[in-house]
């Protein structure tokens, strides 16, 4: 006889452990800080964003919205087109949050 498998219960999240909210980089208000969570660009665009410092785990600030928008990343101000910015999802953070988040695929 084969017993029916019951799904294991999913642990409940505490209110303080809510999943981080991902938003488009372009949706931030000017002056806001965020941590890069996803970059969904392909090949050349991905390499371009990485060369500019826009990588998963990196802290960025939206200096000025629009097209092009200006962000601050690794101590430099960078202009990004709306098309490139649409490929970047971020998690808003407090300005004083300077916690280092290591990159999972860093070598």
């Amino acid at each position: 006889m084969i017993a029916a498998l019951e799904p294991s219960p999913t642990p409940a999240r505490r209110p303080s452990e809510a999943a981080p909210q991902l938003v488009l980089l372009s949706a931030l208000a000017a002056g806001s800080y965020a941590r890069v969570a996803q970059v969904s660009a392909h090949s050349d665009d991905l390499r371009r964003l990485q060369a500019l410092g826009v990588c998963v785990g990196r802290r960025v600030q939206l200096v000025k919205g629009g097209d092009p928008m200006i962000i601050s990343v690794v101590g430099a101000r960078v202009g990004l087109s709306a098309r490139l910015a649409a490929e970047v999802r971020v998690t808003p953070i407090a300005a004083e949050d300077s916690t280092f988040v290591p990159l999972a695929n860093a070598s």
Side-chain angles (χ1 to χ4, degrees):
M1 174 189 264
I2 298 176
L5 296 176
E6 293 183 27
S8 60
T10 304
R13 286 187 178 211
R14 295 181 192 157
S16 62
E17 295 177 3
Q21 177 186 4
L22 296 182
V23 297
L24 289 174
L25 177 59
S26 58
L28 293 176
S32 298
Y33 290 84
R35 185 140 338 260
V36 177
Q38 291 177 342
V39 180
S40 57
H42 297 285
S43 50
D44 288 342
D45 286 343
L46 179 61
R47 282 192 291 276
R48 183 174 294 115
L49 286 166
Q50 289 173 337
L52 294 171
V54 181
C55 307
V56 172
R58 190 68 42 89
R59 180 178 178 248
V60 298
Q61 178 188 24
L62 180 63
V63 176
K64 177 188 150 306
D67 189 14
M69 68 177 47
I70 299 173
I71 64 169
S72 176
V73 59
V74 290
R77 289 187 176 200
V78 175
L80 284 183
S81 69
R83 182 184 64 79
L84 276 179
E87 304 295 336
V88 181
R89 309 280 183 296
V90 298
T91 303
I93 59 172
E96 58 275 354
D97 181 5
S98 60
T99 308
F100 174 73
V101 177
L103 300 177
N105 59 354
S107 38

